[in-house]
Amino acid sequence: MRVLITGGAGFIGSHLSEAYLKQGHEVVVLDDLSTGRLENIAHLRNNPDFQLVVGTILNERLVDKFVEKCDVIFNLAAAVGVELIVKKPLESLTTNIKGSEIVLDMASRYNKKILITSTSEIYGKNINGPLKETDDRILGSPLKARWSYSTAKAVDEMLAYVYWKEKQVPSIIVRLFNTVGPRQTGAYGMVVPRFVGQALKNETITVYGNGKQSRCFVHVRDVVGALMKLVEEPTAVGEVFNIGSQDEISIEDLARQIIKITKSKSKIKYIPYEKAYEEGFEDMQRRVPDTSKINKLIGFKPTYTLPEIIKDILQYLKRNKQ
Ligand code: UDP
């Protein structure tokens, strides 16, 4: 197979590229290196089955050329990370809406299978848990930058769904819940690499709000395995799937666990949301996925525990001296 991965130099994309190359497939990565990093894919570049194209998914001509020549597309190119979205809302909206539309349009032109990555942000402030794919979205004002990400991704989902309904483009949507692992950077706010990095340097651990908000963290390798299985599964087409762990932990306990595992001297500092992000910032208090749909279809179950994930990230950061 020739696999096209937009955003393939990013955290998840680089792991997906690696996994496909390991199986003997060809991989073409299209990445503008905005948040993607060359070092994520440096170890793949000598492989004759690997090609890196530096460019944006907003470039129709470029997308056209590589979609035509591939067998399946993974659209992972996106502006992600709550801090990035809040800081650069316009750029984020453009990449996440226009970019995905261009990729979907080309998938339609050449009738290629496409997997669109969406997010648990879709559910907004819905703190019911576990969240099912059919559950309601509860969002704050569109003038609050945080909700623009949720909205942009919802537009992507709707586009993918109607391209399937009206033009029979075989598309699959996945909603990723707090995916973490080596190569994820804490620079855009992602909490686990940030806390592990802070702990390694014995710096203050920056817990936002009161730290009682909770999340479930899944290892990127478990997610990548699920994405690869889904595109092989004909009945996944036209469907949306949650992917994540159901092992819930508060951010405060996460900080404590990271300090313990890294044997750090760091102390926890609580920072009000308006200082961490912006005035009036709204966080999700809880986010737990219902993963019974994907479990039933492909037997998905996370295999890494949180301590294993933390140790893996720790090793990566130590090796890369970050
Ligand atoms: N968070 C934190 N300190 C940080 C970065 C994030 O306390 O330095 C919190 C953040 O406010 C949120 C949780 O950790 O409640 C998860 O944040 P992340 O950006 O990793 O993911 P998301 O908010 O998209 O679930």
Side-chain angles (χ1 to χ4, degrees), residues 4-8 28-32 53-57 62-63 66 77:
L4 174 63
I5 305 177
T6 72
V28 178
V29 160
L30 175 61
D31 199 302
D32 66 359
V53 182
V54 179
T56 162
I57 54 169
L62 202 61
V63 176
F66 290 99

Side-chain angles (χ1 to χ4, degrees), residues 69-247:
K69 289 192 277 186
C70 77
D71 298 302
V72 61
I73 309 154
F74 288 85
N75 189 41
L76 270 72
V80 291
V82 177
E83 288 190 18
L84 180 70
I85 308 300
V86 170
K87 271 187 206 140
K88 294 183 172 176
L90 183 59
E91 216 176 295
S92 308
L93 274 171
T94 312
T95 313
N96 292 346
I97 298 181
K98 254 195 220 158
S100 301
E101 188 181 358
I102 289 172
V103 181
L104 274 162
D105 198 37
M106 295 307 160
S108 167
R109 181 172 293 175
Y110 299 107
N111 195 35
K112 298 291 164 83
K113 187 176 266 193
I114 177 165
L115 182 141
I116 292 276
T117 44
S118 181
T119 166
S120 54
E121 283 272 325
I122 283 290
Y123 299 102
K125 293 187 277 186
N126 188 338
I127 54 163
N128 296 332
L131 295 159
K132 274 180 106 66
E133 286 85 351
T134 45
D135 278 349
D136 287 342
R137 310 178 55 218
I138 303 174
L139 301 183
S141 158
L143 300 184
K144 287 193 175 155
R146 171 172 204 149
W147 305 121
S148 69
Y149 180 51
S150 179
T151 303
K153 283 297 186 178
V155 172
D156 285 0
E157 287 200 16
M158 288 170 197
L159 277 170
Y161 190 64
V162 296
Y163 264 103
W164 158 241
K165 283 277 159 201
E166 286 183 25
K167 295 180 184 269
Q168 290 74 52
V169 178
S171 63
I172 302 167
I173 300 160
V174 295
R175 293 184 187 149
L176 305 181
F177 282 66
N178 294 87
T179 304
V180 294
R183 296 186 206 138
Q184 187 177 41
T185 159
Y188 310 110
M190 275 69 165
V191 71
V192 182
R194 177 168 289 181
F195 283 4
V196 177
Q198 291 167 336
L200 254 181
K201 295 183 202 140
N202 295 311
E203 288 172 355
T204 307
I205 308 268
T206 53
V207 169
Y208 297 162
N210 63 8
K212 306 279 183 232
Q213 71 273 31
S214 68
R215 297 291 187 272
C216 305
F217 298 96
V218 65
H219 197 294
V220 63
R221 274 197 284 275
D222 283 329
V223 170
V224 159
L227 301 184
M228 294 168 82
K229 275 193 190 159
L230 277 179
V231 296
E232 297 293 326
E233 181 50 61
T235 57
V237 168
E239 297 288 336
V240 52
F241 300 92
N242 287 336
I243 303 183
S245 153
Q246 295 191 301
D247 192 6

